[in-house]
Amino acid sequence: MSLANQYPVALQIVDTFAVISIDNPPVNASTDAVRKGILSCLENIDQEKVEAVILRGEGRSLMAGADLKELEVEPTEPTLPQVTHAIEQFPLPVVAIIKGFTLGGGLELALASDYRLAVENAKLGLPEVSVGIVPGAGGTQRLPRAVGMLKATEMIVSGKPISAKEAQDIGLLSAIIAEDTMADIKQALSAIGAPLTKQKLSEHNIPGYDHDAYQAHTKGLLKRAKGLPSAQVAADLMSQTSSLSFAAGVALEREHFLQLRRSLPAKALRYLFFAENALGKQVSTQQPIAKVGVIGAGTMGSGICINALMSGYEVFMVEINDVALERGKSHVVSELEGAVKRGKLTAAQKEQCLNRLHASGELSSLKEADLVIEAIIENLDAKKSLFTELGNLVDSEVLLATNTSYLDVEEIFANVPNPSRVLGLHFFSPAHIMTLLEIVELDSTSEDALNKVKVFAKKLGKKAVTTKNAWGFVGNRIYAAYRRQCEFLVEEGASPEQVDQAVEAYGFAMGPFKVTDMSGLDIAWRMRQQMQSTRHLSRYVEIPDRICEAGRLGRKTQAGYYDYDEKGMPSSSSFIAELIEDYRAEKDISPVNFSQADIQQRIIASLINESLLLLEEKVCATPEEIDIALTSGYGFPRWKGGPIFIARNMPVEELESLMAHLAKVSGKGHNAGNIAMINN
């Protein structure tokens, strides 16, 4: 028997089971139609003729969460809480079949069911905090009754999914099945034993737990959340759960859910979700890249190799220095072994990756590659010479890419035949972990070449933003403006510690001076020396130069803006404090007392201004890609959305005032962006 209706949910009677199947591709997201369909199917079940209900999903998953577009508008009935309540109160036992990524509302459906069977490779989780909300259909109340407070709080506050095996180990599953076939489902239910009965989690008590251990565990989770507002709300909600009845807990959960969905952080996270999903959408190529060459086996080159290998590509690693080549190969092996330990790869997949790796000291080994990525030293002459040789060695259709961070990409490829196949691919270190990738398009780059690398980037799992050939591209140019403003603040009266603390309090992963110490002060110093002939045209702070001249180059010398102990832990430096004080006296600068809000305002203003300049100059394809670059590669807090998002959500008068103040304090050489660009 099959019951068809107007909803993407179907009811079918199979033997003594009523099978409800959700069919809302691609991921069976919770929508108004899906929720109505589930309730319609429940209403149409002849309870006299079946012994249980099976809730399953067609395609890849049971349900991979909510349709985020619905969060942009007010909730409509039936809501997901009404559906989970209906499932739990249904007179017959309900068996949820978990497969693929069963997340958010999908896991809440399963928690409302009486039995949970999962396919071996399934992932389960409540990741709502990552989009700025908390679970809203009983997840925060049923999960701790199933797995205990510590694990439930970890899953909800971190938002990280767990494997089917871990879910079984913590008591969340009734059984693991090989496939979601009726034969496997019946076999598993038979092993559980008949008859199946109602097992309402809402009627269970939360298992006892060590409250001190719970507090310590929650504190660690919030530290790793790095200020994400929804994580704090989730932690506060969970801390109250054990003292509330189920009904009171569900009511409190729903109250927080509704408040958060309207919040600016949630709006920012949804904005980034949609912007990132739009990257490379509907881009395709008839001849995708299959074989990738990488020149350079250092940290960046080997990282690119690891990323490509783990994404299924055949990789040709070339390094002319034998010692460096062996070191690069060892790094690849070590990282792949680590991926096995972390469950990212199986042992067999690791071996397959290694079988696809071909390491050589000869450029001629790259003749088979479809794409060659250069990752050697950041030196224009060296890169230009390499591509002059390579361009005449490989086929004229082989794509050639440079991983330069700052150099003129067009000049690098000046002597390469068929310039339609050249472009920049700026990876971020470590390349196999960082998700941001800048694709640098030249005037000569063909649409086919661009499409091929966009497809390649997507397969690598990158958030690839497209930029024109300009100094610093998008990310590094904005970061340079940000760091310059931080130096202005120190010159005017703030300490490096004050600036770092203000930036981290705002939500950045790390303050600018800690970052500089970590990467090394000499990198930016060399760049400033190269620009010595033009730096008089704009305001210039000499403090970083004087720190370098004193031999303080950051962590590697155990001294930079901070002093470092043998374990690499930073502490305030009296030497730096005196150096800055002497500098101000020499320049006749009377120090200003800055509040944390003052510092944050200046920094955000500088980011907005530089973003506007990038848009005016048409360096970046879309405003959204600027926000993606900063949140994916530069530690900008995702729940703030990015400088463009912030500017768009400010009253025009406030934005104009902010930009005018920035121009006033930034001094000589400041270029003011056009605020009209935020809506382009």
Side-chain angles (χ1 to χ4, degrees):
M1 172 187 173
S2 176
L3 176 67
N5 55 37
Q6 69 268 41
Y7 306 117
V9 184
L11 173 64
Q12 187 176 16
I13 306 303
V14 180
D15 298 332
T16 58
F17 296 101
V19 181
I20 297 176
S21 299
I22 304 170
D23 189 10
N24 185 33
V27 293
N28 290 332
S30 172
T31 62
D32 184 68
V34 167
R35 295 188 295 273
K36 286 178 179 176
I38 294 172
L39 292 183
S40 175
C41 287
L42 288 173
E43 290 169 2
N44 281 282
I45 292 173
D46 187 340
Q47 298 175 29
E48 299 297 323
K49 294 183 179 180
V50 296
E51 63 173 304
V53 178
I54 293 174
L55 181 63
R56 60 180 296 277
E58 296 288 352
R60 294 178 290 176
S61 61
L62 170 61
M63 179 187 285
D67 182 343
L68 292 188
K69 292 178 183 176
E70 286 198 345
L71 295 179
E72 298 289 327
V73 297
E74 289 303 305
T76 58
E77 293 191 347
T79 63
L80 194 61
Q82 290 172 322
V83 176
T84 55
H85 178 76
I87 289 171
E88 190 172 60
Q89 296 304 316
F90 194 73
L92 296 178
V94 179
V95 182
I97 310 302
I98 296 167
K99 64 177 180 178
F101 283 90
T102 295
L103 307 173
L107 183 53
E108 287 181 302
L109 289 179
L111 288 167
S113 303
D114 303 287
Y115 299 89
R116 287 164 291 280
L117 309 181
V119 176
E120 292 173 319
N121 63 355
K123 297 287 185 181
L124 303 77
L126 294 173
E128 283 84 351
V129 294
S130 66
V131 288
I133 56 175
V134 293
T140 65
Q141 304 306 303
R142 291 189 178 94
L143 188 60
R145 287 168 166 81
V147 304
M149 280 296 294
L150 268 74
K151 190 62 186 178
T153 300
E154 179 182 314
M155 289 178 66
I156 291 166
V157 175
S158 74
K160 293 180 179 177
I162 61 174
S163 66
K165 183 181 183 306
E166 185 177 355
Q168 185 177 43
D169 291 343
I170 63 177
L172 184 53
L173 299 180
S174 308
I176 290 181
I177 55 179
E179 299 290 343
D180 64 329
T181 63
M182 283 305 298
D184 285 341
I185 293 168
K186 286 183 191 177
Q187 185 178 358
L189 293 178
S190 177
I192 290 171
L196 299 178
T197 59
K198 293 298 291 182
Q199 306 282 334
K200 299 178 184 178
L201 282 173
S202 63
E203 296 179 354
H204 291 201
N205 292 322
I206 294 174
Y209 60 97
D210 183 321
H211 286 262
D212 289 339
Y214 175 79
Q215 293 296 333
H217 188 52
T218 302
K219 186 177 180 180
L221 292 170
L222 288 174
K223 185 177 181 180
R224 289 192 288 277
K226 297 178 180 177
L228 178 63
S230 51
Q232 182 65 63
V233 173
D236 293 342
L237 172 60
M238 294 305 292
S239 69
Q240 298 176 66
T241 290
S242 61
S243 61
L244 298 173
S245 67
F246 179 81
V250 165
L252 184 61
E253 172 196 82
R254 192 66 180 171
E255 179 184 336
H256 285 308
F257 169 82
L258 292 173
Q259 287 175 348
L260 284 172
R261 66 180 282 158
R262 303 184 192 103
S263 68
L264 197 59
K267 185 178 177 182
L269 289 163
R270 291 196 296 270
Y271 157 80
L272 285 173
F273 174 85
F274 293 125
E276 289 167 355
N277 274 7
L279 290 175
K281 207 164 190 177
Q282 297 177 333
V283 172
S284 62
T285 177
Q286 293 183 341
Q287 293 181 305
I289 292 161
K291 299 179 180 181
V292 181
V294 179
I295 304 175
T299 302
M300 183 60 77
S302 59
I304 296 170
C305 288
I306 294 162
N307 195 180
L309 288 167
M310 291 182 67
S311 301
Y313 288 98
E314 189 169 357
V315 176
F316 298 83
M317 174 194 279
V318 173
E319 171 60 66
I320 60 172
N321 182 295
D322 291 342
V323 174
L325 181 61
E326 289 303 314
R327 191 186 302 121
K329 286 163 58 179
S330 296
H331 182 225
V332 171
V333 172
S334 175
E335 287 296 315
L336 292 176
E337 289 174 346
V340 173
K341 290 177 183 177
R342 294 189 300 274
K344 300 289 185 183
L345 292 176
T346 65
Q349 288 171 329
K350 182 202 82 172
E351 290 305 317
Q352 289 167 5
C353 285
L354 291 175
N355 289 337
R356 293 197 301 272
L357 175 65
H358 313 283
S360 170
E362 302 295 331
L363 284 178
S364 58
S365 66
L366 298 170
K367 287 184 177 180
E368 291 184 49
D370 303 309
L371 163 69
V372 178
I373 304 167
E374 164 272 311
I376 64 171
I377 59 171
E378 190 75 344
N379 178 279
L380 179 60
D381 290 338
K383 291 178 187 288
K384 192 171 181 179
S385 174
L386 171 64
F387 279 111
T388 298
E389 181 180 357
L390 188 64
N392 293 304
L393 177 68
V394 300
D395 187 86
S396 62
E397 297 303 312
V398 173
L399 302 187
L400 302 178
T402 174
N403 182 57
T404 183
S405 303
Y406 291 100
L407 300 176
D408 185 337
V409 178
E410 196 163 333
E411 183 63 25
I412 288 172
F413 291 116
N415 300 325
V416 174
N418 187 16
S420 67
R421 42 109 173 232
V422 304
L423 69 169
L425 285 178
H426 179 211
F427 288 80
F428 289 73
S429 186
H432 57 297
I433 295 173
M434 295 292 284
T435 58
L436 179 62
L437 174 66
E438 290 180 318
I439 300 174
V440 186
E441 178 187 9
L442 304 183
D443 291 340
S444 65
T445 307
S446 69
E447 185 178 355
D448 180 59
L450 194 60
N451 286 343
K452 282 182 178 178
V453 296
K454 284 182 177 180
V455 171
F456 170 67
K458 191 170 185 178
K459 192 172 177 181
L460 291 183
K462 299 301 186 188
K463 296 168 186 174
V465 301
T466 305
T467 168
K468 296 297 184 181
N469 181 31
W471 183 89
F473 311 130
V474 173
N476 280 345
R477 173 167 164 181
I478 294 179
Y479 187 79
Y482 153 78
R483 187 177 60 209
R484 191 163 58 246
Q485 197 64 222
C486 292
E487 291 168 359
F488 291 171
L489 286 160
V490 169
E491 183 180 58
E492 293 169 31
S495 68
E497 294 92 331
Q498 273 183 290
V499 174
D500 279 351
Q501 287 164 10
V503 167
E504 290 168 10
Y506 186 80
F508 278 80
M510 188 183 291
F513 297 110
K514 287 180 183 175
V515 170
T516 300
D517 275 0
M518 183 172 66
S519 59
L521 278 75
D522 51 326
I523 297 172
W525 190 27
R526 285 196 299 270
M527 198 176 304
R528 290 193 300 273
Q529 288 170 330
Q530 293 169 4
M531 300 170 67
Q532 193 166 0
S533 62
T534 58
R535 69 189 191 192
H536 67 281
L537 299 173
S538 58
R539 180 178 170 184
Y540 187 81
V541 179
E542 298 174 22
I543 292 171
D545 294 347
R546 297 190 182 190
I547 295 173
C548 291
E549 288 161 4
R552 299 174 66 95
L553 304 180
R555 287 190 184 185
K556 58 189 171 187
T557 59
Q558 292 189 297
Y561 282 96
Y562 295 86
D563 292 331
Y564 293 87
D565 62 21
E566 293 179 355
K567 295 181 179 179
M569 296 300 293
S571 60
S572 297
S573 170
S574 58
F575 177 88
I576 292 297
E578 289 175 15
L579 184 151
I580 293 170
E581 186 178 348
D582 291 345
Y583 175 84
R584 290 180 189 142
E586 178 188 323
K587 301 291 183 180
D588 197 25
I589 297 171
S590 298
V592 176
N593 289 321
F594 290 105
S595 69
Q596 190 172 88
D598 291 334
I599 294 170
Q600 292 171 349
Q601 185 184 61
R602 283 273 294 273
I603 288 167
I604 298 309
S606 71
L607 293 173
I608 292 173
N609 187 71
E610 202 65 26
S611 298
L612 296 176
L613 292 172
L614 280 171
L615 293 174
E616 280 186 76
E617 298 164 22
K618 295 182 170 52
V619 173
C620 200
T622 66
E624 291 76 16
E625 287 179 89
I626 292 173
D627 287 344
I628 291 170
L630 289 185
T631 54
S632 298
Y634 291 85
F636 194 98
R638 287 183 64 82
W639 62 93
K640 303 284 189 179
I644 294 295
F645 178 85
I646 292 169
R648 284 174 171 171
N649 283 276
M650 290 176 67
V652 174
E653 299 80 7
E654 185 181 339
L655 181 58
E656 288 175 342
S657 175
L658 185 66
M659 293 296 98
H661 178 67
L662 179 71
K664 181 179 177 182
V665 297
S666 294
K668 182 175 63 173
H670 174 78
N671 292 320
N674 179 4
I675 65 171
M677 299 305 300
I678 63 171
N679 294 315
N680 283 9

